[in-house]
Amino acid sequence: MITINFIAADGQSTSVQGKIGKSLMDAAVAGGINGIAADCGGLLTCATCHVFVREPYASQLPAADGEERAMLAFTATPHAPHSRLSCQITLNAALDGLTVELPTSQY
């Protein structure tokens, strides 16, 4: 298990434990994180699990593929350079302490 820190749009921080091999979205849903809707359940069809990944973790992640980049164009809150869909981030030991910011809205 690794620790993941979610920063809500209002600045409130919540930490949850995530299982290595699962997605960041799975950890958020299991941890009851408000702000991750995950409407499609990780099928890469809705963009309601949008997050902003903080450094140094953003540069450690594999680049978003074409499908993820296309879905990021449909986020309710404008995407930024460190925007990712949490369903596309697979947790690993190197991501222990990962911090992500949540957008003001997923809709």
Side-chain angles (χ1 to χ4, degrees):
M1 300 289 275
I2 64 169
T3 300
I4 306 153
N5 306 298
F6 291 89
I7 310 297
D10 67 3
Q12 182 177 340
S13 178
T14 304
S15 296
V16 301
Q17 295 295 300
K19 186 175 181 180
I20 291 174
K22 292 290 193 174
S23 73
L24 175 59
M25 182 205 72
D26 289 333
V29 170
I33 298 296
N34 289 326
I36 297 289
D39 287 347
C40 73
L43 297 176
L44 194 59
T45 61
C46 73
T48 61
C49 64
H50 178 211
V51 296
F52 304 102
V53 181
R54 286 190 177 174
E55 288 295 355
Y57 301 99
S59 59
Q60 294 177 21
L61 296 173
D65 67 17
E67 288 182 75
E68 182 179 0
R69 286 192 310 272
M71 287 308 304
L72 285 167
F74 296 101
T75 58
T77 299
H79 64 280
H82 294 305
S83 285
R84 295 296 301 266
L85 297 180
S86 61
C87 67
Q88 298 302 296
I89 298 173
T90 302
L91 301 177
N92 61 58
L95 295 177
D96 191 27
L98 172 66
T99 300
V100 298
E101 297 175 30
L102 300 171
T104 55
S105 176
Q106 296 287 2
Y107 299 104

Coordinates of all heavy atoms in Angstrom, one line a residue:
M1 N 0.8 -1.2 0.0 CA 0.0 0.0 0.0 C 0.9 1.2 0.0 O 2.0 1.2 0.6 CB -0.9 0.0 1.2 CG -1.8 -1.2 1.3 SD -3.2 -1.2 0.1 CE -4.4 -0.2 1.0
I2 N 0.4 2.3 -0.7 CA 1.1 3.6 -0.7 C 0.1 4.6 -0.2 O -1.1 4.5 -0.2 CB 1.7 3.9 -2.0 CG1 0.6 4.1 -3.1 CG2 2.7 2.9 -2.5 CD1 1.0 4.7 -4.4
T3 N 0.7 5.8 0.2 CA -0.1 6.9 0.7 C -0.3 7.9 -0.5 O 0.7 8.2 -1.2 CB 0.5 7.6 1.9 OG1 0.7 6.7 2.9 CG2 -0.3 8.8 2.3
I4 N -1.5 8.3 -0.7 CA -1.9 9.3 -1.7 C -2.6 10.5 -1.0 O -3.4 10.3 -0.2 CB -2.8 8.7 -2.8 CG1 -2.2 7.4 -3.3 CG2 -3.1 9.7 -3.9 CD1 -3.2 6.4 -3.8
N5 N -2.1 11.7 -1.4 CA -2.7 12.9 -0.9 C -3.6 13.6 -1.9 O -3.1 13.9 -3.0 CB -1.6 13.8 -0.4 CG -0.6 13.1 0.6 OD1 -1.1 12.7 1.6 ND2 0.6 13.0 0.2
F6 N -4.8 13.8 -1.6 CA -5.7 14.6 -2.4 C -6.0 15.9 -1.8 O -6.4 16.1 -0.7 CB -7.1 13.8 -2.5 CG -7.0 12.5 -3.3 CD1 -6.7 11.3 -2.6 CD2 -7.2 12.5 -4.7 CE1 -6.6 10.1 -3.3 CE2 -7.1 11.2 -5.3 CZ -6.8 10.1 -4.7
I7 N -5.8 17.0 -2.7 CA -6.0 18.3 -2.2 C -7.3 18.8 -2.9 O -7.3 19.0 -4.2 CB -4.9 19.3 -2.6 CG1 -3.5 18.7 -2.1 CG2 -5.1 20.7 -2.0 CD1 -3.4 18.5 -0.6
A8 N -8.3 19.1 -2.2 CA -9.6 19.6 -2.7 C -9.4 21.0 -3.2 O -8.5 21.7 -2.9 CB -10.7 19.5 -1.7
A9 N -10.4 21.4 -4.0 CA -10.4 22.8 -4.6 C -10.3 23.8 -3.5 O -9.8 24.9 -3.7 CB -11.5 23.0 -5.5
D10 N -10.9 23.5 -2.3 CA -10.9 24.5 -1.2 C -9.6 24.4 -0.4 O -9.5 25.1 0.6 CB -12.1 24.3 -0.3 CG -12.2 23.0 0.4 OD1 -11.2 22.2 0.3 OD2 -13.2 22.7 1.1
G11 N -8.7 23.5 -0.8 CA -7.4 23.4 -0.1 C -7.4 22.4 1.0 O -6.3 22.1 1.5
Q12 N -8.5 21.7 1.3 CA -8.5 20.7 2.3 C -7.8 19.4 1.8 O -8.0 19.0 0.7 CB -9.9 20.3 2.7 CG -10.0 19.3 3.8 CD -11.4 19.0 4.2 OE1 -12.3 19.7 4.0 NE2 -11.6 17.8 4.8
S13 N -6.9 18.9 2.6 CA -6.1 17.7 2.2 C -6.7 16.4 2.9 O -7.0 16.5 4.1 CB -4.7 17.9 2.6 OG -3.9 16.8 2.3
T14 N -6.7 15.4 2.1 CA -7.2 14.1 2.6 C -6.2 13.0 2.1 O -5.9 13.0 0.9 CB -8.6 13.7 2.1 OG1 -9.5 14.7 2.5 CG2 -9.0 12.4 2.7
S15 N -5.7 12.2 3.0 CA -4.8 11.1 2.6 C -5.5 9.8 2.6 O -6.3 9.5 3.5 CB -3.6 11.0 3.5 OG -2.8 12.2 3.4
V16 N -5.2 8.9 1.6 CA -5.8 7.6 1.6 C -4.7 6.6 1.2 O -3.6 7.0 0.8 CB -7.0 7.5 0.5 CG1 -8.1 8.4 0.8 CG2 -6.5 7.6 -0.9
Q17 N -5.0 5.3 1.5 CA -4.0 4.3 1.1 C -4.5 3.7 -0.2 O -5.7 3.5 -0.4 CB -4.0 3.2 2.2 CG -3.5 3.7 3.5 CD -2.0 4.0 3.4 OE1 -1.2 3.2 3.1 NE2 -1.7 5.3 3.7
G18 N -3.5 3.4 -1.1 CA -3.8 2.9 -2.4 C -3.0 1.6 -2.6 O -1.9 1.5 -2.2
K19 N -3.6 0.6 -3.2 CA -3.0 -0.7 -3.4 C -2.2 -0.6 -4.7 O -2.6 -0.2 -5.8 CB -4.1 -1.8 -3.5 CG -3.5 -3.2 -3.6 CD -4.6 -4.2 -3.6 CE -4.0 -5.6 -3.7 NZ -5.0 -6.6 -3.7
I20 N -0.9 -1.0 -4.6 CA 0.0 -1.1 -5.7 C -0.7 -2.0 -6.8 O -1.2 -3.1 -6.5 CB 1.4 -1.6 -5.3 CG1 2.0 -0.5 -4.4 CG2 2.2 -2.0 -6.5 CD1 3.4 -1.0 -3.8
G21 N -0.6 -1.5 -8.1 CA -1.2 -2.2 -9.2 C -2.6 -1.7 -9.5 O -3.1 -2.0 -10.6
K22 N -3.3 -1.0 -8.6 CA -4.6 -0.5 -8.9 C -4.4 0.9 -9.4 O -3.4 1.5 -9.4 CB -5.4 -0.4 -7.6 CG -5.8 -1.8 -7.1 CD -6.8 -2.4 -8.0 CE -7.5 -3.6 -7.3 NZ -8.5 -4.2 -8.1
S23 N -5.5 1.5 -9.9 CA -5.4 2.9 -10.4 C -5.6 3.9 -9.3 O -6.2 3.6 -8.2 CB -6.5 3.1 -11.5 OG -7.8 3.2 -10.9
L24 N -5.2 5.1 -9.6 CA -5.4 6.2 -8.7 C -6.9 6.4 -8.5 O -7.3 6.7 -7.4 CB -4.7 7.4 -9.2 CG -4.9 8.7 -8.4 CD1 -4.4 8.6 -7.0 CD2 -4.2 9.9 -9.2
M25 N -7.6 6.3 -9.5 CA -9.1 6.4 -9.4 C -9.7 5.4 -8.5 O -10.5 5.8 -7.6 CB -9.7 6.3 -10.8 CG -11.3 6.5 -10.8 SD -12.0 5.6 -12.2 CE -11.9 3.9 -11.6
D26 N -9.2 4.2 -8.5 CA -9.7 3.1 -7.6 C -9.4 3.5 -6.2 O -10.3 3.3 -5.3 CB -9.1 1.8 -7.9 CG -9.5 1.1 -9.2 OD1 -10.6 1.4 -9.7 OD2 -8.7 0.4 -9.8
A27 N -8.2 4.0 -5.9 CA -7.9 4.4 -4.5 C -8.8 5.6 -4.1 O -9.2 5.6 -2.9 CB -6.4 4.8 -4.5
A28 N -9.1 6.5 -5.0 CA -9.9 7.7 -4.6 C -11.3 7.2 -4.3 O -11.9 7.6 -3.3 CB -9.9 8.7 -5.8
V29 N -11.9 6.3 -5.1 CA -13.3 5.9 -4.9 C -13.3 5.0 -3.6 O -14.2 5.2 -2.8 CB -13.7 5.0 -6.1 CG1 -15.0 4.3 -5.8 CG2 -13.9 5.9 -7.4
A30 N -12.4 4.1 -3.4 CA -12.3 3.3 -2.2 C -12.2 4.2 -0.9 O -12.7 3.9 0.1 CB -11.2 2.3 -2.3
G31 N -11.4 5.3 -1.1 CA -11.2 6.2 0.0 C -12.3 7.2 0.2 O -12.2 8.1 1.1
G32 N -13.3 7.2 -0.6 CA -14.4 8.1 -0.5 C -14.1 9.6 -0.8 O -14.7 10.5 -0.2
I33 N -13.2 9.8 -1.7 CA -12.7 11.1 -2.0 C -13.8 11.8 -2.8 O -14.2 11.4 -3.9 CB -11.4 11.1 -2.8 CG1 -10.3 10.5 -2.0 CG2 -11.1 12.5 -3.3 CD1 -9.9 11.3 -0.8
N34 N -14.4 12.9 -2.3 CA -15.3 13.8 -3.0 C -14.5 14.5 -4.0 O -13.4 15.0 -3.8 CB -16.0 14.8 -2.1 CG -17.0 14.1 -1.1 OD1 -17.6 13.1 -1.5 ND2 -17.1 14.6 0.1
G35 N -15.1 14.6 -5.2 CA -14.4 15.3 -6.3 C -13.9 14.4 -7.4 O -13.4 14.8 -8.4
I36 N -13.9 13.1 -7.2 CA -13.6 12.1 -8.2 C -15.0 11.4 -8.5 O -15.4 10.6 -7.7 CB -12.5 11.1 -7.7 CG1 -11.2 11.8 -7.5 CG2 -12.4 10.0 -8.8 CD1 -10.5 12.3 -8.7
A37 N -15.6 11.7 -9.6 CA -16.9 11.1 -9.9 C -16.7 9.7 -10.5 O -17.5 8.8 -10.1 CB -17.6 12.0 -10.9
A38 N -15.8 9.5 -11.4 CA -15.5 8.2 -12.0 C -16.7 7.5 -12.6 O -17.0 6.4 -12.4 CB -14.8 7.3 -10.9
D39 N -17.5 8.3 -13.3 CA -18.7 7.8 -13.9 C -18.6 6.6 -14.7 O -19.5 5.8 -14.7 CB -19.4 9.0 -14.7 CG -20.0 10.0 -13.8 OD1 -20.1 9.8 -12.5 OD2 -20.4 11.1 -14.3
C40 N -17.5 6.5 -15.5 CA -17.4 5.4 -16.4 C -16.6 4.2 -15.8 O -16.4 3.2 -16.4 CB -16.7 5.8 -17.7 SG -14.9 6.1 -17.6
G41 N -16.2 4.3 -14.5 CA -15.6 3.3 -13.8 C -14.2 2.9 -14.4 O -13.7 1.8 -14.2
G42 N -13.6 3.9 -15.0 CA -12.2 3.7 -15.5 C -12.1 3.2 -16.9 O -11.0 2.7 -17.3
L43 N -13.1 3.3 -17.7 CA -13.1 2.9 -19.1 C -12.6 3.9 -20.1 O -12.7 3.7 -21.3 CB -14.5 2.4 -19.5 CG -15.1 1.2 -18.7 CD1 -16.5 0.9 -19.1 CD2 -14.2 0.0 -18.9
L44 N -12.2 5.1 -19.6 CA -11.6 6.1 -20.4 C -12.7 6.7 -21.4 O -12.4 6.9 -22.5 CB -10.4 5.6 -21.1 CG -9.5 6.7 -21.8 CD1 -9.0 7.7 -20.8 CD2 -8.3 6.0 -22.5
T45 N -13.9 6.9 -20.8 CA -15.0 7.4 -21.7 C -15.7 8.6 -21.1 O -16.7 9.1 -21.7 CB -16.0 6.3 -22.0 OG1 -16.6 5.9 -20.8 CG2 -15.4 5.2 -22.8
C46 N -15.2 9.2 -20.0 CA -16.0 10.3 -19.4 C -15.2 11.5 -18.8 O -15.7 12.5 -18.7 CB -16.9 9.7 -18.3 SG -16.0 9.3 -16.7
A47 N -14.0 11.3 -18.5 CA -13.1 12.4 -18.0 C -13.6 13.0 -16.6 O -13.2 14.1 -16.3 CB -13.0 13.5 -19.0
T48 N -14.3 12.2 -15.8 CA -14.8 12.7 -14.5 C -13.9 12.2 -13.4 O -14.3 12.2 -12.2 CB -16.3 12.2 -14.3 OG1 -16.3 10.8 -14.2 CG2 -17.2 12.8 -15.3
C49 N -12.7 11.8 -13.7 CA -11.7 11.5 -12.7 C -10.4 12.4 -12.9 O -9.3 12.0 -12.5 CB -11.4 10.0 -12.7 SG -10.6 9.4 -14.2
H50 N -10.6 13.5 -13.5 CA -9.6 14.5 -13.8 C -8.8 14.9 -12.5 O -9.5 15.3 -11.5 CB -10.2 15.7 -14.5 CG -9.3 16.8 -14.8 ND1 -9.7 18.1 -14.9 CD2 -8.0 16.8 -15.2 CE1 -8.7 18.9 -15.2 NE2 -7.6 18.1 -15.4
V51 N -7.5 15.0 -12.5 CA -6.7 15.5 -11.4 C -5.5 16.3 -12.0 O -5.2 16.1 -13.1 CB -6.2 14.3 -10.5 CG1 -7.3 13.6 -9.8 CG2 -5.3 13.4 -11.3
F52 N -4.9 17.1 -11.1 CA -3.7 17.8 -11.4 C -2.6 17.2 -10.6 O -2.7 17.3 -9.3 CB -3.8 19.3 -11.1 CG -5.0 20.0 -11.8 CD1 -6.2 20.2 -11.1 CD2 -4.9 20.3 -13.1 CE1 -7.2 20.9 -11.8 CE2 -6.0 21.0 -13.8 CZ -7.2 21.2 -13.1
V53 N -1.6 16.5 -11.2 CA -0.6 15.8 -10.5 C 0.5 16.8 -10.2 O 1.1 17.5 -11.0 CB 0.0 14.7 -11.3 CG1 1.0 13.9 -10.6 CG2 -1.2 13.7 -11.7
R54 N 0.9 16.9 -8.9 CA 2.0 17.7 -8.4 C 3.3 17.1 -8.7 O 3.4 15.9 -8.7 CB 1.9 18.0 -7.0 CG 0.8 19.0 -6.6 CD 0.9 19.4 -5.2 NE -0.1 20.4 -4.8 CZ -0.3 20.9 -3.6 NH1 0.4 20.4 -2.6 NH2 -1.2 21.8 -3.4
E55 N 4.3 17.9 -8.9 CA 5.7 17.4 -8.9 C 6.1 17.0 -7.5 O 5.6 17.5 -6.6 CB 6.6 18.5 -9.5 CG 6.4 18.8 -11.0 CD 6.8 17.6 -11.9 OE1 7.3 16.6 -11.4 OE2 6.6 17.7 -13.1
P56 N 7.1 16.1 -7.4 CA 7.9 15.5 -8.5 C 7.2 14.4 -9.2 O 7.8 13.8 -10.1 CB 9.1 15.1 -7.7 CG 8.6 14.6 -6.4 CD 7.5 15.6 -6.1
Y57 N 6.0 14.1 -8.8 CA 5.3 12.9 -9.3 C 4.9 13.0 -10.8 O 4.9 12.0 -11.5 CB 4.2 12.5 -8.5 CG 4.6 12.2 -7.0 CD1 4.5 13.2 -6.1 CD2 5.2 11.0 -6.7 CE1 4.9 13.0 -4.8 CE2 5.7 10.8 -5.4 CZ 5.5 11.8 -4.5 OH 6.0 11.6 -3.2
A58 N 4.5 14.2 -11.2 CA 4.0 14.4 -12.6 C 5.1 13.9 -13.6 O 4.8 13.3 -14.6 CB 3.6 15.8 -12.8
S59 N 6.3 14.3 -13.3 CA 7.4 13.9 -14.3 C 7.8 12.5 -14.2 O 8.5 12.0 -15.1 CB 8.6 14.9 -14.1 OG 9.1 14.8 -12.8
Q60 N 7.4 11.8 -13.2 CA 7.7 10.3 -13.0 C 6.7 9.4 -13.7 O 7.0 8.3 -14.0 CB 7.7 10.0 -11.5 CG 8.8 10.6 -10.7 CD 8.7 10.2 -9.3 OE1 8.1 9.2 -8.9 NE2 9.3 11.0 -8.4
L61 N 5.5 10.0 -14.1 CA 4.5 9.2 -14.7 C 4.8 9.0 -16.2 O 5.4 9.9 -16.9 CB 3.2 9.9 -14.6 CG 2.6 10.0 -13.2 CD1 1.3 10.9 -13.2 CD2 2.4 8.7 -12.6
P62 N 4.4 7.9 -16.8 CA 4.5 7.7 -18.2 C 3.6 8.8 -18.9 O 2.6 9.2 -18.3 CB 3.9 6.3 -18.5 CG 3.8 5.6 -17.2 CD 3.8 6.7 -16.1
A63 N 3.9 9.2 -20.0 CA 3.1 10.3 -20.7 C 1.7 9.7 -21.0 O 1.5 8.5 -21.2 CB 3.8 10.6 -22.0
A64 N 0.8 10.6 -21.0 CA -0.6 10.3 -21.4 C -0.6 9.8 -22.8 O 0.0 10.4 -23.7 CB -1.5 11.5 -21.2
D65 N -1.3 8.8 -23.1 CA -1.4 8.3 -24.5 C -2.5 9.2 -25.2 O -3.1 10.1 -24.7 CB -1.8 6.8 -24.6 CG -3.1 6.4 -24.1 OD1 -4.0 7.3 -23.9 OD2 -3.4 5.2 -23.8
G66 N -2.6 8.9 -26.5 CA -3.5 9.7 -27.3 C -5.0 9.7 -26.9 O -5.7 10.7 -26.9
E67 N -5.5 8.5 -26.4 CA -6.8 8.5 -25.9 C -7.0 9.3 -24.7 O -8.1 10.0 -24.6 CB -7.2 7.0 -25.6 CG -7.4 6.2 -26.9 CD -7.8 4.7 -26.5 OE1 -9.0 4.6 -26.1 OE2 -7.0 3.8 -26.5
E68 N -6.1 9.2 -23.8 CA -6.2 10.1 -22.5 C -6.2 11.5 -22.9 O -6.9 12.3 -22.4 CB -5.1 9.7 -21.5 CG -5.3 10.5 -20.2 CD -4.2 10.1 -19.2 OE1 -3.4 9.3 -19.4 OE2 -4.3 10.8 -18.1
R69 N -5.2 11.9 -23.8 CA -5.1 13.3 -24.1 C -6.4 13.8 -24.8 O -6.9 14.9 -24.6 CB -3.9 13.5 -25.1 CG -2.6 13.5 -24.4 CD -1.4 14.0 -25.2 NE -1.4 13.4 -26.6 CZ -0.8 12.3 -26.9 NH1 -0.1 11.6 -25.9 NH2 -0.8 11.8 -28.1
A70 N -7.0 13.0 -25.6 CA -8.3 13.3 -26.3 C -9.4 13.5 -25.2 O -10.2 14.5 -25.3 CB -8.7 12.3 -27.3
M71 N -9.5 12.7 -24.2 CA -10.5 12.8 -23.2 C -10.2 14.0 -22.3 O -11.2 14.7 -21.8 CB -10.5 11.5 -22.3 CG -11.2 10.3 -23.0 SD -12.8 10.6 -23.7 CE -13.8 11.2 -22.3
L72 N -9.0 14.4 -22.1 CA -8.7 15.6 -21.3 C -9.2 16.9 -21.9 O -9.5 17.8 -21.2 CB -7.2 15.7 -21.1 CG -6.6 14.8 -20.0 CD1 -5.1 14.8 -20.1 CD2 -7.1 15.1 -18.6
A73 N -9.5 16.8 -23.2 CA -10.1 18.0 -23.9 C -11.6 18.2 -23.5 O -12.1 19.2 -23.7 CB -10.0 17.8 -25.4
F74 N -12.1 17.2 -22.8 CA -13.5 17.3 -22.4 C -13.7 17.5 -20.9 O -14.8 17.3 -20.4 CB -14.3 16.0 -22.8 CG -14.3 15.9 -24.3 CD1 -13.5 15.0 -25.0 CD2 -15.2 16.6 -25.1 CE1 -13.5 14.9 -26.4 CE2 -15.3 16.5 -26.4 CZ -14.4 15.6 -27.1
T75 N -12.7 17.8 -20.2 CA -12.8 18.0 -18.7 C -13.6 19.3 -18.5 O -13.6 20.3 -19.2 CB -11.5 18.1 -18.0 OG1 -10.7 19.2 -18.6 CG2 -10.7 16.8 -18.1
A76 N -14.4 19.2 -17.4 CA -15.3 20.4 -17.0 C -14.4 21.6 -16.6 O -14.7 22.7 -17.0 CB -16.2 20.0 -15.9
T77 N -13.4 21.3 -15.9 CA -12.4 22.4 -15.5 C -11.3 22.3 -16.5 O -10.8 21.2 -16.8 CB -11.9 22.1 -14.0 OG1 -13.0 22.1 -13.1 CG2 -10.8 23.1 -13.6
P78 N -10.9 23.4 -17.0 CA -9.8 23.4 -18.1 C -8.6 22.6 -17.6 O -8.2 22.7 -16.5 CB -9.5 24.9 -18.3 CG -10.8 25.6 -17.9 CD -11.3 24.8 -16.8
H79 N -8.1 21.8 -18.6 CA -6.9 21.0 -18.2 C -5.7 21.9 -18.3 O -5.7 22.9 -18.9 CB -6.8 19.8 -19.1 CG -6.6 20.0 -20.6 ND1 -7.7 20.4 -21.4 CD2 -5.5 20.0 -21.3 CE1 -7.2 20.6 -22.6 NE2 -5.9 20.4 -22.6
A80 N -4.6 21.4 -17.6 CA -3.4 22.1 -17.5 C -2.2 21.1 -17.8 O -2.5 19.9 -18.1 CB -3.2 22.6 -16.1
P81 N -1.0 21.6 -17.9 CA 0.1 20.7 -18.3 C 0.2 19.4 -17.4 O 0.6 18.4 -17.9 CB 1.3 21.6 -18.1 CG 0.8 23.0 -18.3 CD -0.6 23.0 -17.7
H82 N -0.2 19.5 -16.1 CA 0.0 18.3 -15.3 C -1.4 17.6 -15.1 O -1.6 16.9 -14.1 CB 0.6 18.7 -13.9 CG 2.0 19.1 -14.1 ND1 3.0 18.3 -14.7 CD2 2.6 20.2 -13.7 CE1 4.1 19.0 -14.7 NE2 4.0 20.1 -14.1
S83 N -2.4 17.9 -15.9 CA -3.7 17.2 -15.9 C -3.5 15.8 -16.3 O -2.8 15.5 -17.3 CB -4.7 17.9 -16.8 OG -5.1 19.1 -16.2
R84 N -4.2 14.9 -15.6 CA -4.3 13.5 -15.9 C -5.6 13.0 -15.6 O -6.3 13.6 -14.7 CB -3.2 12.7 -15.2 CG -1.8 13.0 -15.6 CD -1.4 12.7 -17.0 NE -1.6 11.3 -17.4 CZ -0.7 10.4 -17.4 NH1 0.6 10.7 -17.0 NH2 -0.9 9.2 -17.7
L85 N -6.0 11.9 -16.1 CA -7.2 11.1 -15.7 C -6.7 10.1 -14.7 O -5.8 9.3 -15.1 CB -7.9 10.5 -16.9 CG -8.5 11.5 -17.9 CD1 -9.2 10.7 -19.1 CD2 -9.4 12.5 -17.3
S86 N -7.3 10.1 -13.5 CA -6.7 9.2 -12.5 C -7.0 7.8 -12.8 O -6.2 6.9 -12.3 CB -7.3 9.6 -11.1 OG -8.7 9.5 -11.1
C87 N -7.9 7.4 -13.7 CA -8.1 6.0 -14.1 C -6.9 5.5 -14.9 O -6.7 4.3 -15.0 CB -9.4 5.9 -14.8 SG -9.4 6.6 -16.5
Q88 N -6.1 6.4 -15.4 CA -5.0 6.0 -16.2 C -3.6 6.0 -15.5 O -2.6 5.7 -16.1 CB -4.9 6.9 -17.5 CG -6.1 6.9 -18.3 CD -6.4 5.4 -18.9 OE1 -5.6 4.9 -19.6 NE2 -7.5 4.9 -18.4
I89 N -3.6 6.2 -14.2 CA -2.4 6.2 -13.4 C -2.4 5.0 -12.6 O -3.3 4.8 -11.7 CB -2.3 7.5 -12.5 CG1 -2.3 8.7 -13.4 CG2 -1.1 7.4 -11.6 CD1 -2.3 10.0 -12.6
T90 N -1.5 4.1 -12.8 CA -1.3 2.8 -12.1 C -0.4 3.1 -10.9 O 0.7 3.6 -11.1 CB -0.8 1.7 -13.0 OG1 -1.7 1.5 -14.1 CG2 -0.7 0.4 -12.2
L91 N -0.8 2.7 -9.7 CA 0.0 3.0 -8.5 C 1.1 2.0 -8.5 O 1.0 0.8 -8.8 CB -0.9 2.8 -7.3 CG -2.1 3.8 -7.2 CD1 -2.9 3.5 -6.0 CD2 -1.6 5.2 -7.3
N92 N 2.3 2.5 -8.1 CA 3.5 1.7 -7.8 C 4.2 2.3 -6.6 O 3.9 3.4 -6.2 CB 4.4 1.6 -9.1 CG 4.9 3.0 -9.5 OD1 5.5 3.7 -8.8 ND2 4.6 3.4 -10.7
A93 N 5.2 1.6 -6.1 CA 5.9 2.0 -4.9 C 6.6 3.4 -5.0 O 6.7 4.1 -4.1 CB 7.0 0.9 -4.5
A94 N 7.0 3.7 -6.2 CA 7.7 5.0 -6.4 C 6.7 6.2 -6.3 O 7.1 7.3 -6.1 CB 8.3 5.0 -7.8
L95 N 5.4 5.9 -6.3 CA 4.4 7.0 -6.2 C 3.9 7.2 -4.7 O 3.0 7.9 -4.5 CB 3.2 6.7 -7.1 CG 3.5 6.7 -8.6 CD1 2.2 6.4 -9.4 CD2 4.0 8.1 -9.0
D96 N 4.6 6.5 -3.8 CA 4.2 6.7 -2.4 C 4.4 8.2 -2.0 O 5.4 8.8 -2.2 CB 5.1 5.8 -1.5 CG 4.6 5.8 0.0 OD1 3.4 5.9 0.2 OD2 5.5 5.6 0.9
G97 N 3.3 8.8 -1.5 CA 3.3 10.2 -1.2 C 2.8 11.1 -2.3 O 2.7 12.3 -2.2
L98 N 2.3 10.4 -3.4 CA 1.7 11.1 -4.5 C 0.7 12.2 -4.0 O -0.1 11.9 -3.2 CB 1.0 10.1 -5.4 CG 0.2 10.7 -6.6 CD1 1.1 11.4 -7.6 CD2 -0.5 9.5 -7.3
T99 N 0.8 13.4 -4.6 CA -0.1 14.4 -4.2 C -0.8 14.9 -5.5 O -0.1 15.2 -6.5 CB 0.6 15.6 -3.5 OG1 1.2 15.1 -2.3 CG2 -0.4 16.7 -3.2
V100 N -2.1 15.0 -5.5 CA -2.8 15.5 -6.6 C -3.9 16.5 -6.2 O -4.4 16.4 -5.0 CB -3.6 14.3 -7.4 CG1 -2.6 13.3 -8.0 CG2 -4.6 13.6 -6.6
E101 N -4.1 17.5 -7.0 CA -5.1 18.5 -6.7 C -6.4 18.1 -7.5 O -6.3 17.6 -8.6 CB -4.6 19.9 -7.1 CG -3.4 20.3 -6.3 CD -2.9 21.6 -6.8 OE1 -3.6 22.4 -7.4 OE2 -1.6 21.8 -6.7
L102 N -7.5 18.4 -6.9 CA -8.8 18.1 -7.5 C -9.3 19.4 -8.2 O -9.2 20.4 -7.6 CB -9.8 17.6 -6.5 CG -9.4 16.3 -5.8 CD1 -10.3 16.0 -4.7 CD2 -9.3 15.1 -6.8
P103 N -10.0 19.2 -9.3 CA -10.5 20.4 -10.0 C -11.8 20.9 -9.2 O -12.3 20.2 -8.4 CB -10.9 19.9 -11.4 CG -11.1 18.4 -11.2 CD -10.2 18.0 -10.1
T104 N -12.2 22.1 -9.5 CA -13.4 22.6 -8.9 C -14.6 21.8 -9.2 O -15.6 21.8 -8.4 CB -13.6 24.1 -9.3 OG1 -13.7 24.2 -10.7 CG2 -12.5 25.0 -8.7
S105 N -14.7 21.2 -10.3 CA -15.8 20.4 -10.7 C -15.4 19.3 -11.8 O -14.5 19.6 -12.6 CB -16.9 21.3 -11.3 OG -18.0 20.5 -11.8
Q106 N -16.1 18.2 -11.7 CA -15.9 17.2 -12.8 C -17.0 17.3 -13.8 O -17.0 16.6 -14.8 CB -15.9 15.8 -12.1 CG -14.8 15.5 -11.2 CD -13.4 15.3 -11.9 OE1 -13.3 15.4 -13.1 NE2 -12.4 15.1 -11.0
Y107 N -18.0 18.2 -13.6 CA -19.1 18.3 -14.5 C -19.3 19.7 -15.0 O -19.0 20.7 -14.3 CB -20.5 17.9 -13.8 CG -20.5 16.5 -13.4 CD1 -20.3 16.2 -12.0 CD2 -20.7 15.4 -14.3 CE1 -20.4 14.8 -11.6 CE2 -20.7 14.1 -13.9 CZ -20.5 13.8 -12.5 OH -20.5 12.5 -12.1

